[in-house]
Structure formats: C-alpha cells, structure tokens
C-alpha cells in the first residue's frame, strides 16, 4: 500500500485520477490501472475524449491489428538445442507501413510489445513520418549468449517472421538489447530469403551499420531528438540548456547519447544509473568519458570519477532535468515523490506510471512525453529507409537538420493542441497525433 497522499494537481488540467474509459471494459483491457497496456492506451483514450474523437476510431486504435508469436529452436555452442519465443505486433498501418523496434530482453511479454507497438503509431503520427506502428522482440538475454549464438537466434527469428515483415509492409529497428549488428543479420537473412527484384531488400530494417545501408546520425538520433526537444521546450519553463543540471536513468543508446549531446550544449550531468548501479558527482560527470567506460565494462558500476550512491539518493539528486532512458514504468509513485527536478524528459517509452505521473503533476513537475521526446529514432529510421529505397547516402548535416525540423514540428503541434484544449503536454501530444490519424481515416474510410 502506498503511503503517499493523492496530491492536488498543480499542472494545469492534468488527467483526472479516476479516468476510466468505457472502452476498457468493452474491449476487455486489463483492470489493473498500472498494467502497461492499459496505461499507454488509457492516455490516448483520455486525449480522444478531450478532443471528441469518434468512438469507432477509439475502438480501432485501442487494439493492435495483428499479434504474431513464434517459437523457434536454435543450436547452442555446446550442441544442445534451445527453444526461443519471439513476437511481432502490428498495431496500425493507416499512415504507412508498420514501423518499430525489436527488443531482446528476458522479460519481454506480449503486453509490453503491444504497448510499444501502440506508442509507435502515436509517435510516427505526431512526428510526421509516413509510418504506422509495430514492435517485436525475442525473449532472450543477449548478454548471456556468444556472438555466434546471437547470430543464429537473430537469423532464425528473422526466417520465422519473414513473411510478416518487408520494406513496404513492416520495418523493424533496434530497441533495448538489440543493435546495428543484429539489424545487419536481419537484413542479410531477409535479402537471402526474398526474391531479388528492383527494390533494395535491406530496407526491411533500419538502424543498420553505416557500412551496410545504415544512415549517418541514426545511432545518436533518439538522444539527439531528446535534446532537440529540451532545447525547444526549456525556455518556456524559464530554463536555459547551457545552465541546466541533469541526471540520466539508463546509459545505453538513448541515455548515453542524450547525456553526451546535452552536455555538449553546456548542461552538466550530475548522476547516472543503470542495471549495474547508481553514481553521482556534484562537480559533474563527463558524459563522453562515462560512455567509453560503459562500453568497456558493461555498466556504470565501478566508475571511479563519481561516487556510488543508493537508488533513493539517485532519484533524490537535485537537478533541473531528469531523463529516464531505461525501461518502462521505472517512475512509480515512490520514485516520483523522491524526484527533485523541474522537468522529466522521457527518453524511454512509458517510463512514468499513471500513479507516478499524478505525483509529478501534484508537485508541479513538467513531463515532456515520450511520444514527443523520443521520436528522433524513428524519424532518422525513416531517413535511412528513404536513402535505401532511392540508393542515396545523405550527409550528417542534412540528417541532423531534417531531424530538428521534424522534432520542432512535433513540439509545435503539441503546443497548439495544449492551447486549443487547455490540457497538459501528454494529453496534448496524443491529441496532435490523433488529429492526423483522424484525418487519414476520414479520407480513406473503412473497407469495404
Ligand atoms: P539499451 O539497451 O541501449 O539501454 C538500456 C539501458 O537501460 C541500459 O543502460 C541498461 O543498463 C538500463 N537498464 C536496464 N534495466 C535497468 C534497471 N532495472 N535499472 C536501471 N537501468 C536499467 O536500450 P535503448 O535503445 O537505449 O532504449 C532505452 C529506452 O528508450 C527503451 O524504453 C526504448 O524502448 C526507448 N527507445 C529507444 C529508441 C532507440 O532508438 N534505441 C528509440 C525510442 C525509444
């Protein structure tokens, strides 16, 4: 039982505590308010109510179109066979092919993948790229397998889902636990399995190595987008990026790039946490140096230029900006009450639970929502796909400047929705995403 009293929201027109869409019961969504799928879809349905989205669209968007689960055997280095479980969820393709990452993690479940696929539909719509939403994964701990075992797992998974993906139909990308090497194996396996026509089958995935069809700027794109959003949104909160202090939860792709790029804008990183530990240095932690250390040692633990602290001390560290960039639901009621920051910039997907968010709202802490803040990754994935399909390679300056345009456009659409509906930023971001989807549905109609 929580001991934290429900606060009176200080954030203007915050989502009410007892919001309960009739669709939750109608569609048989889980009754637990902290269930990840109910959390993510619930935010969208609240935005839909505020803007008056027709019920049939709420119903369509509250459920994924396809949920694919596969089981496949792989030979381990010692000659034994192990059976693996893989997922691909295709949420919606009204705006274009399904698009979204592949998570390699031992705790991957269908509900998480459904939630993440749903978020991709919203994110792609908000940031203005012609994609729908999808997500997938393999229940596997990549740290526990040799390179050879991972290659066989990834290639066999690709062959199991090959008929359900494709450069014009569903385009995976990296997510937690997966990287550009894995994407290269997927692209190669898919190319081998597909009939070579006029197109480029390696466009079946993005986030590939630059040497093999990847785009300059893709690796850092999500962190770059987080910082582009911060630079755009902080002044209206009376904060200057070059005078900010910040802490980062998760120092993988998104966390480390957010840290490095925000530091390069003049901000100072005070505390960092990942699955290995929590560290702090009031004088600042060099984000580039820490990233090199994490690459070599697998985590922040043992980094001698900062002191080890507890989980509670990490969350209680006084900073201007807190960037959660690890897994979902890591800011619950307790962590939200501990946080001593002015802004939460959601680098991770769905890092804040509804209960956690109410505590933040009650304390007047602004949340820059994930579908806005972390949309940089899919945006540059789109650029990679365009380059693959047109056999081009763009300069980094072009990628960065187009990314910035998309991020600023998404921020402007979110602000406009906030003004029009007088709501907080998360609801506004969903409304801006829903407005584009609604227009597309109005034109295309429902077949037959
Ligand atoms: P990653 O695997 O590179 O890094 C994940 C980080 O989370 C690691 O530092 C890991 O140590 C940390 N972590 C894991 N479990 C933890 C725990 N229990 N406590 C503290 N830290 C923990 O993954 P990533 O690609 O950086 O993704 C991070 C988040 O950003 C995810 O929510 C992902 O869906 C989201 N995201 C990623 C991208 C992308 O382009 N990679 C794009 C959009 C959103």
């Amino acid at each position: 039982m929580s001991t934290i009293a429900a606060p009176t929201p200080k954030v203007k027109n915050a989502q009410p505590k007892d919001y309960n869409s009739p669709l939750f019961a109608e569609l048989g969504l889980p009754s637990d308010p902290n269930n990840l799928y109910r959390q993510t879809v619930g935010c969208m349905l609240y935005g839909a109510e505020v803007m008056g989205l027709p019920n049939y669209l709420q119903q369509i968007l509250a459920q994924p179109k396809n949920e694919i689960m596969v089981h496949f055997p792989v030979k381990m280095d010692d000659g034994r066979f192990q059976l693996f479980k893989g997922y691909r969820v295709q949420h919606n393709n009204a705006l274009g092919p399904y698009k979204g990452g592949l998570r390699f993690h031992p705790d991957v479940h269908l509900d998480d993948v459904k939630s993440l696929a749903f978020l991709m539909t919203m994110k792609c719509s908000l940031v203005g790229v012609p994609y729908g939403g999808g997500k997938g994964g393999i229940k596997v701990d990549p740290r526990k397998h040799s390179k050879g075992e991972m290659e066989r797992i990834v290639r066999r998974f690709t062959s199991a889902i090959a008929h359900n993906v494709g450069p014009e139909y569903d385009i995976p990308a990296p997510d937690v636990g997966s990287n550009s090497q894995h994407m290269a194996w997927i692209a190669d396996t898919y190319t081998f399995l597909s009939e070579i026509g006029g197109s480029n089958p390696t466009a079946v995935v993005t986030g590939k190595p630059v040497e093999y069809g990847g785009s300059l700027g893709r690796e850092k794109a999500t962190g770059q987008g987080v910082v582009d959003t911060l630079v755009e949104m902080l002044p209206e909160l009376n904060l200057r990026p070059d005078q900010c202090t910040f802490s980062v939860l998760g120092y993988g792709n998104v966390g480390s790039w957010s840290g490095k790029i925000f530091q390069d804008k003049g901000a100072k990183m005070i505390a960092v946490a990942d699955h290995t530990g929590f560290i702090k240095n009031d004088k600042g932690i060099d984000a580039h140096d820490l990233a090199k250390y994490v690459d070599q040692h697998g985590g922040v633990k043992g980094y001698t230029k900062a002191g080890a602290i507890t989980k509670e001390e990490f969350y209680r560290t006084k900073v201007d900006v807190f960037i959660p960039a690890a897994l979902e639901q890591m800011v619950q009621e307790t962590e939200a009450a501990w946080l001593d920051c002015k802004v939460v910039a959601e680098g991770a997907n769905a890092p804040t639970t509804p209960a956690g968010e109410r505590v933040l709202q009650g304390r007047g802490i602004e949340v820059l929502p994930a579908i806005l803040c972390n949309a940089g990754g899919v945006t540059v994935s789109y650029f990679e796909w365009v380059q693959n399909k047109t056999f081009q390679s763009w300069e980094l300056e072009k990628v960065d400047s187009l990314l910035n345009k998309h991020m600023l456009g998404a921020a402007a659409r979110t602000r406009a929705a906030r003004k029009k509906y007088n709501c907080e930023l998360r609801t506004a971001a969903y409304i801006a995403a829903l407005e584009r989807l609604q227009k597309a549905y109005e034109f295309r109609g429902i077949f037959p």
Side-chain angles (χ1 to χ4, degrees), residues 7 42 56 95 156 164 168 175 196 202 224 228 237 255 272 293 316 332 339 346 360 366 371 378 405-406 427:
Y56 80 97
L95 296 176
R156 183 63 199 250
N164 298 106
E168 279 82 36
D175 189 68
I196 308 295
T202 65
Q224 180 76 57
D228 284 0
L237 300 164
V272 181
Y293 178 87
R316 284 189 185 279
Q332 307 199 2
L339 278 175
E346 293 186 337
L360 296 178
E366 187 70 84
I371 62 165
V378 73
K405 243 188 198 171
H406 277 265
T427 304

Side-chain angles (χ1 to χ4, degrees), residues 92-109:
N92 187 278
N93 61 351
L95 296 176
Y98 302 107
K99 183 86 188 86
L102 291 173
R103 179 166 294 194
F104 297 168
H105 195 279
D107 293 334
V108 169
H109 300 108

Side-chain angles (χ1 to χ4, degrees), residues 103 116 123 135 143 174-177 218 222 249-255 273-275 325-328 330 347-349 374 377:
R103 179 166 294 194
L116 294 164
K123 202 179 295 184
K135 203 81 180 192
R143 294 190 192 98
D175 189 68
V176 174
R218 172 60 185 92
T222 308
L249 171 63
Y251 214 67
N253 175 291
V254 180
D274 71 2
H275 71 288
L327 302 179
E328 295 74 35
M330 297 190 80
N349 284 307
N374 74 19

Side-chain angles (χ1 to χ4, degrees), residues 199-404:
S199 72
N200 179 356
T202 65
V204 68
V205 278
T206 56
K208 299 181 291 289
V210 175
E211 297 79 0
Y212 180 48
S215 175
L216 290 173
R218 172 60 185 92
E219 202 201 319
K220 68 172 176 130
T222 308
Q224 180 76 57
V226 169
V227 178
D228 284 0
T229 309
L230 280 167
V231 169
E232 179 66 10
M233 303 296 279
L234 286 179
E236 66 179 60
L237 300 164
N238 293 322
L239 291 168
R240 281 183 47 174
D242 60 346
Q243 290 175 357
C244 275
T245 54
F246 67 102
S247 58
V248 186
L249 171 63
Y251 214 67
N253 175 291
V254 180
S256 66
W257 279 107
S258 299
K260 287 187 278 189
I261 300 168
F262 202 24
Q263 175 177 297
D264 292 348
K265 298 270 176 211
K268 186 157 81 168
M269 189 164 79
I270 302 288
V272 181
D274 71 2
H275 71 288
T276 65
F278 305 85
I279 58 169
K280 178 177 172 180
N281 186 341
D282 287 325
K283 294 196 179 111
I285 298 170
D286 183 82
H288 294 272
D289 190 58
L290 180 64
K292 279 187 209 136
Y293 178 87
V294 170
D295 269 351
Q296 286 162 7
H297 298 88
V300 302
K301 192 176 176 183
Y303 185 67
T304 52
K305 295 171 199 165
I309 52 171
T310 64
K311 175 180 169 181
E312 184 171 343
E313 285 168 335
F314 168 74
Y315 280 98
R316 284 189 185 279
T317 301
K318 188 177 173 59
V319 283
D320 296 305
V321 179
F322 170 65
I323 306 176
L327 302 179
E328 295 74 35
Q329 300 195 316
M330 297 190 80
V331 181
Q332 307 199 2
E333 269 176 305
T334 307
E335 292 80 12
W338 285 341
L339 278 175
D340 190 357
C341 65
K342 295 174 184 143
V343 182
V344 173
E346 293 186 337
N349 284 307
T352 315
T353 62
E357 179 136 7
R358 279 194 296 276
V359 175
L360 296 178
Q361 288 170 344
R363 299 180 57 217
I365 296 173
E366 187 70 84
V367 178
L368 304 181
I371 62 165
L372 167 65
C373 224
N374 74 19
V378 73
T379 304
V380 177
S381 273
Y382 167 60
F383 300 158
E384 176 177 333
W385 183 74
V386 170
Q387 291 171 71
N388 291 163
K389 293 189 82 60
T390 55
F391 298 97
Q392 295 182 56
S393 24
W394 297 355
E395 308 260 320
L396 182 60
E397 291 70 25
K398 175 170 174 171
V399 171
D400 281 350
S401 109
L402 279 176
L403 168 61
N404 186 260

